[in-house]
Amino acid sequence: MPRLSGELVLMACRTLPWGVVGTAGVAGLLLAALTRITGETGERLSLHLLRAAVLAFAMGLVFLLDDPARHTTATVPTRRPVRIALRVALVVPATAAWWTAALLLVPPDLRPPVADITLEAGAAFALAVAGAAVAVRFTEVTRPGPRVAGGLLISAVLAMVFWPGRWALFVPVEDERWAAAHDRWAVVLAGAVVVGALGVVEPLRRWAWPVVRGR
């Protein structure tokens, strides 16, 4: 069993879309680094740039479950929840390292409250993975990443433009709704985790009703 587990981890590590995730990570870090060259407008733009960096990295995470050999591996003894959980577990350390680097790129005097902005980032990353898990669960597409990425980007833009003010999520630090907004972010994170967990469940087998043939 240890050998089998090691082989499974190695196989999952090789099939992960590190190139896409890495590209998204670099793009996000470049956005975070722009907070150092914005001059007098830095304080106003730093939060927006950091949120843009989070979105950029989330756009890479939606490709996490892309697997060209998906229909081949569906017959292996290791169940889908284990395979997906392994992929997520492998990318968590890289995500944590990326987020730490993004925060450090923002000057301390311009950095938003770390706990609150980390909550936003966690919710965005969880939504990205949950969207990919749902796409895998309900479609036969081997590479759902591009579609999920498009949906995530459109949803983010629509949320920033049309989301009701009384349930605001994207608020500046000095806004009196900041604390309430992050209570809502906590709900978004919890909902994304639940949806993602439901998305990795194996599909129920359909019962084949016996066909009664006439004599």
Side-chain angles (χ1 to χ4, degrees), residues 110-123:
L110 302 181
R111 192 179 300 149
V114 173
D116 291 336
I117 196 65
T118 299
L119 176 61
E120 292 187 26

Side-chain angles (χ1 to χ4, degrees), residues 123-203:
F125 299 158
L127 281 171
V129 178
V134 170
V136 170
R137 172 67 173 79
F138 292 103
T139 72
E140 297 296 323
V141 180
T142 58
R143 290 187 174 94
R147 299 181 184 181
V148 180
L152 179 65
L153 180 60
I154 293 173
S155 299
V157 173
L158 292 178
M160 287 187 287
V161 175
F162 297 109
W163 195 264
R166 59 180 178 176
W167 298 329
L169 291 172
F170 304 98
V171 298
V173 177
E174 65 276 7
D175 196 302
E176 61 182 6
R177 300 171 295 173
W178 178 265
H182 287 83
D183 291 339
R184 300 184 191 102
W185 276 112
V187 174
V188 172
L189 174 59
V193 171
V194 171
V195 171
L198 294 176
V200 303
V201 176
E202 294 277 5

Side-chain angles (χ1 to χ4, degrees), residues 19-201:
V20 177
V21 176
T23 301
V26 170
L29 292 179
L30 290 175
L31 287 168
L34 288 177
T35 58
R36 293 181 172 271
I37 58 175
T38 50
E40 296 180 358
T41 60
E43 186 173 357
R44 184 178 61 186
L45 292 178
S46 60
L47 179 60
H48 299 301
L49 288 170
L50 196 53
R51 283 172 171 162
V54 168
L55 179 59
F57 191 72
M59 295 287 286
L61 291 180
V62 299
F63 293 86
L64 184 62
L65 304 185
D66 282 16
D67 184 5
R70 170 187 171 187
H71 300 303
T72 302
T73 58
T75 58
V76 300
T78 307
R79 298 179 64 83
R80 177 191 293 178
V82 177
R83 299 197 305 270
I84 292 181
L86 180 57
R87 281 175 167 250
V88 174
L90 286 171
V91 84
V92 164
T95 302
W98 177 88
W99 179 238
T100 301
L103 287 175
L104 292 176
L105 284 172
V106 181
D109 56 328
L110 302 181
R111 192 179 300 149
V114 173
D116 291 336
I117 196 65
T118 299
L119 176 61
E120 292 187 26
F125 299 158
L127 281 171
V129 178
V134 170
V136 170
R137 172 67 173 79
F138 292 103
T139 72
E140 297 296 323
V141 180
T142 58
R143 290 187 174 94
R147 299 181 184 181
V148 180
L152 179 65
L153 180 60
I154 293 173
S155 299
V157 173
L158 292 178
M160 287 187 287
V161 175
F162 297 109
W163 195 264
R166 59 180 178 176
W167 298 329
L169 291 172
F170 304 98
V171 298
V173 177
E174 65 276 7
D175 196 302
E176 61 182 6
R177 300 171 295 173
W178 178 265
H182 287 83
D183 291 339
R184 300 184 191 102
W185 276 112
V187 174
V188 172
L189 174 59
V193 171
V194 171
V195 171
L198 294 176
V200 303
V201 176

Side-chain angles (χ1 to χ4, degrees), residues 199-212:
V200 303
V201 176
E202 294 277 5
L204 295 176
R205 296 181 181 276
R206 296 181 178 179
W207 290 96
W209 293 97
V211 178
V212 179

